[in-house]
Amino acid sequence: MAWQNEKTLHELDAPLAVEHLVFEVRADAFETWKAAEFEFWTKGLADRFPSFVGKETWVAKRGGIFKVTVVLYWTSVEEWHAIDPVWLEEHERRFAEVVGADNVRLVSEGHTVDQYYKVSEYR
C-alpha cells in the first residue's frame, strides 16, 4: 500500500500568544545551556504558570556559536506579561550563574516589534 498523507489542519479555538527569542550560545557551553534552559525556563515556566502552553527550540551552529531560536506559546499576552517580575529576575540571575553570563547572549526578541499569534498548525 502506498503512503497516504493523514495530516490535518488544526485551527486553534483561541489564538496563542507567541514569544520569540533568539540567543547566541558558545559551543563549549551549549550542553550546559541546554540542560539549564530546560530546568530553569521550560520546567520553571510550566510548573508555575498555567498560561504557559509549550515551546519549540531551533538550533543552527555557526563556527563556535550556536544560534538558538526559542518560540514559546502562551494562552494570552496578558497572562504572559503577568509573570511575577521578582520570580523572573531571580530565575535570570540563577540561570546566568549556572550557564555563565559570558556564554550566552540574547540577540533579539522578535515579539517586541510585532506581536504574533499562533492560529493553526498542520500535523
Side-chain angles (χ1 to χ4, degrees):
M1 180 172 183
W3 175 81
Q4 184 177 4
N5 178 13
E6 296 181 7
K7 297 175 182 146
T8 59
L9 180 64
H10 303 275
E11 301 267 349
L12 302 179
D13 290 333
L16 298 176
V18 177
E19 180 179 6
H20 176 238
L21 305 169
V22 178
F23 299 93
E24 288 181 346
V25 182
R26 289 178 37 161
D28 58 348
F30 181 74
E31 291 302 320
T32 300
W33 174 87
K34 187 170 73 169
E37 197 280 339
F38 179 75
E39 286 300 320
F40 279 87
W41 299 115
T42 306
K43 285 186 50 83
L45 292 169
D47 290 347
R48 183 167 176 108
F49 302 103
S51 60
F52 175 67
V53 176
K55 78 170 223 217
E56 298 173 5
T57 304
W58 299 67
V59 177
K61 188 173 182 186
R62 294 181 179 166
I65 300 290
F66 280 90
K67 181 178 180 184
V68 182
T69 299
V70 179
V71 179
L72 300 99
Y73 300 102
W74 299 88
T75 56
S76 73
V77 172
E78 295 76 23
E79 290 181 87
W80 159 26
H81 289 177
I83 293 174
D84 178 5
V86 173
W87 180 90
L88 188 61
E89 188 175 300
E90 177 62 16
H91 254 58
E92 287 175 349
R93 184 189 64 73
R94 289 177 43 225
F95 180 78
E97 286 176 359
V98 170
V99 175
D102 295 337
N103 290 325
V104 63
R105 179 174 77 92
L106 177 62
V107 176
S108 71
E109 298 175 88
H111 56 272
T112 59
V113 176
D114 295 308
Q115 181 57 60
Y116 292 96
Y117 296 90
K118 183 176 179 178
V119 296
S120 67
E121 65 182 19
Y122 182 75
R123 292 187 186 245

